[in-house]
Amino acid sequence: MKTGQRNRKFNNAGISLVELIVVLAIMSIVLGIMGVSISLLTGSAARGAYYKLDAMLNGAKTEAMSRYSETLTIAYLRKNEAEGVDSDGYYCKNSVSTFVRDDATDNIVEEEIGVEYRKIGAGRVDIKLYLDDDTTGKTLKNANSADIDSFEISYNRRTGALNKVKIAAGGTDTEHTLNKLELKSGFKKYVIVFEEATGKHYRENS
């Protein structure tokens, strides 16, 4: 009788530390998988990139109509803390300039007054540009692809119209009409449509 009681006490000793660690590890894996699945379904990475880029475009057009000029250069960059690139991902290089009088020549010249790197999103977002009459699109370089190395957006200072977008690819720079910009992650995509003559842009239903 006493032996049986001792056995029952031993068998109901509870969860050991090793068992608790295993359970927590399994829960962490499950939660991680759920987080990735939710991100794929909602396209949260593309949504965040869209709102950031939308705000930058609006700011650049507003600046173009003032005494400042802002150029947006979008590219996938590797971590470089010296330049303000904290981690790998898509960044917008904001170059701001204004017009000043050159004392030597008395001419009005454009002078760069500041450069800032702003992160748009992680590399898991796919960015595609639709240029000229192209209907298939060109993919901006990320960790896995390299159709386009970077692209530059600016606006006309007098009219606010969208200038030709400057494309850098394979060491060559070309200018094109930018029709659409697509940001996609998981099963969700956000498409920005551009009107070159007015400089306006809006989100296409998708």
Side-chain angles (χ1 to χ4, degrees):
M1 184 69 176
K2 290 181 179 179
T3 304
Q5 287 177 344
R6 283 199 300 270
N7 288 339
R8 280 197 296 275
K9 274 187 178 180
F10 180 80
N11 292 335
N12 294 327
I15 300 175
S16 69
L17 180 59
V18 174
E19 290 172 327
L20 182 60
I21 291 172
V22 171
V23 170
L24 291 174
I26 293 172
M27 287 178 64
S28 298
I29 293 171
V30 172
L31 289 173
I33 293 172
M34 288 177 62
V36 172
S37 300
I38 292 171
S39 178
L40 286 173
L41 290 172
T42 61
S44 58
R47 182 174 66 250
Y50 163 75
Y51 284 114
K52 288 178 183 178
L53 189 54
D54 178 60
M56 292 175 189
L57 290 168
N58 287 328
K61 185 180 178 185
T62 301
E63 293 288 2
M65 304 299 288
S66 70
R67 63 187 293 252
Y68 297 103
S69 177
E70 188 170 356
T71 300
L72 309 178
T73 304
I74 292 90
Y76 180 85
L77 301 177
R78 296 291 187 182
K79 181 177 179 180
N80 185 341
E81 293 180 354
E83 291 189 350
V85 180
D86 299 327
S87 59
D88 295 356
Y90 292 110
Y91 283 81
C92 179
K93 178 183 176 182
N94 295 59
S95 304
V96 181
S97 60
T98 189
F99 287 94
V100 296
R101 186 177 297 278
D102 188 337
D103 293 334
T105 63
D106 204 37
N107 293 328
I108 301 298
V109 295
E110 189 169 3
E111 180 181 273
E112 186 174 82
I113 59 175
V115 174
E116 182 182 13
Y117 288 89
R118 300 179 187 174
K119 189 168 186 179
I120 297 173
R124 63 179 179 273
V125 178
D126 291 324
I127 299 180
K128 184 179 286 188
L129 290 79
Y130 292 86
L131 308 168
D132 304 322
D133 297 325
D134 180 24
T135 57
T136 57
K138 303 290 185 184
T139 304
L140 180 64
K141 175 185 175 183
N142 58 27
N144 304 312
S145 62
D147 284 347
I148 294 173
D149 296 322
S150 67
F151 64 95
E152 180 181 297
I153 291 177
S154 63
Y155 294 87
N156 185 284
R157 289 183 58 85
R158 278 183 274 187
T159 65
L162 180 68
N163 293 327
K164 296 290 184 183
V165 64
K166 295 182 180 180
I167 301 296
T172 302
D173 295 340
T174 54
E175 293 188 350
H176 302 268
T177 298
L178 177 60
N179 296 319
K180 293 182 181 181
L181 188 62
E182 178 186 290
L183 302 102
K184 183 178 180 182
S185 66
F187 305 112
K188 187 71 175 179
K189 67 180 179 180
Y190 291 78
V191 179
I192 302 174
V193 179
F194 293 87
E195 295 179 356
E196 187 178 44
T198 62
K200 293 181 179 179
H201 69 273
Y202 59 91
R203 180 185 166 190
E204 183 180 76
N205 293 330
S206 56

